[in-house]
Amino acid sequence: MPAFEYEALDARGRKSKGLITADSEYAARRELRSREMAPLALRSAEGRKMSAQADDGASLMERLRAQDLSGRELMLVTRQMSSLIGAGMPIAETLGLLAEQGGRHHMKRVLSAVRARVSEGERLSDAMKAYPRSFPAVYRAMVAAGEQAGGLEAVLARLADYLEKEEAVKNRITGALVYPVVLSVVALGVVMLLMTFVVPKIADQFTGMGMALPLLTRIMISLSAGLLASWPFLLAGGAALVIGAMLALRQASVRTGFDGVMMRLPLLGGFLRQVEAARFARTMGILIEAGSVLPDALQAAARATGNLAFRQTVEKVKADVETGRGLSDALQASRVFPALMLFMVAAGERSGALGEMFRRSADQLEQDIDGAVSVGLNLLEPGIILVLGGVVVVIVLSILLPILQLNTLALG
């Protein structure tokens, strides 16, 4: 049954908003009047405007709002769906209940629209296709695999675990980066203050004395003068460079080459490959245990990554598997995946427990990633302090050297 978003006046003349399900727009209006409410505007839950009586200002505000679920909202919805479906509640009723209890307005709209499609006979994974930004392709593929295998509850539970881990890692990195970022901004502010205000005034004092300045002082004075004269051009050039890089990275060929270079960098490249391998293993484990066939699982795992170079690698593995090559051999030939995962995949192929082996390798890789993130973040803070502290020391030293030189001359 379709869902509609309404704006109406109640018996006391107060404006209210909400969602209502009905067979048609006419039926929805009749239902509102039966509740002693005068409808002002009516739109489908999918956002198509159904009445010209809507307030233009309100419509603009609705269009400016985000219409997709955030990562945290998707995680919560997935966990709740798993619990409710596992308790025996039908999918349409589950979506309706979650829509009624939803927090933000667009969350209710998305869930109500998906519920309307499910009520009309569509599968859950097909109904989610109308909102690709809320439900990514790999998410829908996992849901479809669960529907086909009759294990939707288990797939949703694994998906919720997967999303929770990703959210936890993201929050941990974000929280740990707050202090280094603030420290960097403050230190850069101090450096800019010294270079644009302190150094020029010191230079004026020493220049008027006609004394020969030390080399370091002359270099700092030249840098300060250049910075004062060209800072608008530097700012514009930096902004143009950032915008140009962003536009270039939207091109698939440029992005693929950039991702490939990043994956080949020392230290950072190994970490990026491990992150992508862990996501790949987690996705494959969920899909295979849900009953998805291997080529389809590989295709969904390729979509799960944002690294286009890694995606090409997975697609090459899929093509090799479709020609009859063993999965472990195809993965090993790519020279991208960690040895631990290759060993466990080969063991899974021999024992018939491929999904479990993918899941175990994902657990181990994620533990290694957590350790690497902890070490990297612990080293980042002192590294920033040392680098920017060294810059400040050089600037201060360039100011002190002429003063010491003057004192030496005065004493002599």
Side-chain angles (χ1 to χ4, degrees):
M1 184 178 294
F4 297 89
E5 175 193 357
Y6 69 84
E7 295 179 12
L9 295 177
D10 60 16
R12 297 183 180 181
R14 294 177 301 186
K15 183 181 291 187
S16 62
K17 299 180 181 180
L19 293 164
I20 188 173
T21 56
D23 292 328
S24 64
E25 178 188 354
Y26 174 77
R29 291 182 178 276
R30 185 175 58 186
E31 176 64 23
L32 288 172
R33 292 191 181 97
S34 69
R35 300 180 185 180
E36 299 183 352
M37 302 179 72
L40 299 176
L42 199 65
R43 307 176 187 86
S44 73
E46 298 180 10
R48 293 188 296 269
K49 189 172 180 180
M50 303 299 292
S51 174
Q53 301 177 20
D55 180 73
D56 291 337
S59 299
L60 177 61
M61 292 303 296
E62 292 295 332
R63 287 195 295 269
L64 292 176
R65 290 180 182 177
Q67 297 299 313
D68 55 317
L69 301 181
S70 66
R72 179 170 178 78
E73 288 172 338
L74 181 59
M75 176 193 69
L76 294 175
V77 166
T78 305
R79 178 64 70 191
Q80 292 169 347
M81 285 178 60
S82 172
S83 300
L84 293 173
I85 293 174
M89 182 177 289
I91 296 176
E93 293 184 16
T94 297
L95 292 169
L97 179 60
L98 295 179
E100 292 176 2
Q101 297 178 349
R104 293 195 288 174
H105 183 70
H106 74 273
M107 182 177 177
K108 298 180 180 180
R109 173 181 294 178
V110 171
L111 294 177
S112 296
V114 174
R115 179 204 176 194
R117 290 173 175 269
V118 171
S119 299
E120 292 173 354
E122 290 189 21
R123 295 195 313 170
L124 178 60
S125 56
D126 294 332
M128 289 176 173
K129 288 182 180 179
Y131 293 90
R133 293 179 60 186
S134 295
F135 307 100
V138 66
Y139 184 98
R140 301 195 306 269
M142 293 180 185
V143 172
E147 289 175 319
Q148 293 172 0
L152 183 58
E153 172 200 352
V155 170
L156 289 173
R158 295 191 189 104
L159 267 174
D161 292 338
Y162 173 68
L163 294 173
E164 286 174 357
K165 289 181 179 179
E166 282 202 336
E167 189 71 17
V169 172
K170 185 187 302 182
N171 291 337
R172 180 184 175 194
I173 294 176
T174 302
L177 285 177
V178 169
Y179 179 71
V181 169
V182 172
L183 179 64
S184 300
V185 171
V186 172
L188 288 175
V190 172
V191 170
M192 295 300 297
L193 182 65
L194 291 173
M195 293 295 291
T196 55
F197 290 98
V198 178
V199 172
K201 291 184 178 180
I202 297 296
D204 292 339
Q205 295 292 330
F206 292 137
T207 303
M209 296 180 181
M211 60 179 294
L213 298 177
L215 176 61
L216 181 60
T217 305
R218 295 199 303 271
I219 292 174
M220 286 297 115
I221 292 174
S222 300
L223 289 175
S224 176
L227 184 62
L228 287 172
S230 60
W231 70 265
F233 305 101
L234 293 175
L235 186 62
L241 183 63
V242 171
I243 295 173
M246 292 175 62
L247 293 176
L249 288 175
R250 290 184 180 181
Q251 305 295 323
S253 58
V254 177
R255 178 66 181 274
T256 302
F258 176 79
D259 290 343
V261 170
M262 294 296 292
M263 289 178 63
R264 290 191 294 270
L265 291 176
L267 298 179
L268 180 60
F271 176 76
L272 293 177
R273 290 195 300 271
Q274 195 168 26
V275 170
E276 295 298 339
R279 182 181 289 114
F280 170 80
R282 181 67 63 191
T283 305
M284 290 292 294
I286 294 175
L287 288 170
I288 292 175
E289 289 186 334
S292 181
V293 296
L294 190 55
D296 291 343
L298 289 168
Q299 184 63 37
R303 295 174 183 171
T305 178
N307 189 304
L308 298 188
F310 190 85
R311 181 178 299 179
Q312 283 189 347
T313 299
V314 177
E315 290 174 349
K316 177 63 168 57
V317 170
K318 174 179 175 287
D320 290 343
V321 169
E322 288 177 335
T323 61
R325 192 173 189 178
L327 177 60
S328 58
D329 293 337
L331 293 174
Q332 187 173 8
S334 67
R335 298 182 179 180
V336 171
F337 298 94
L340 173 64
M341 195 183 85
L342 296 175
F343 175 79
M344 297 186 76
V345 169
E349 284 183 306
R350 291 192 300 268
S351 63
L354 186 57
E356 181 183 357
M357 289 298 125
F358 266 121
R359 180 163 46 83
R360 290 186 179 183
S361 62
D363 291 338
Q364 184 60 51
L365 289 173
E366 287 168 357
Q367 289 180 7
D368 295 341
I369 291 170
D370 287 341
V373 169
S374 298
V375 172
L377 292 176
N378 289 335
L379 293 176
L380 181 62
E381 180 182 335
I384 293 174
I385 293 175
L386 288 174
V387 171
L388 296 179
V391 174
V392 173
V393 167
V394 170
I395 295 175
V396 173
L397 187 61
S398 68
I399 297 172
L400 291 178
L401 284 177
I403 297 175
L404 294 175
Q405 184 175 337
L406 281 175
N407 290 337
T408 301
L409 293 175
L411 293 174

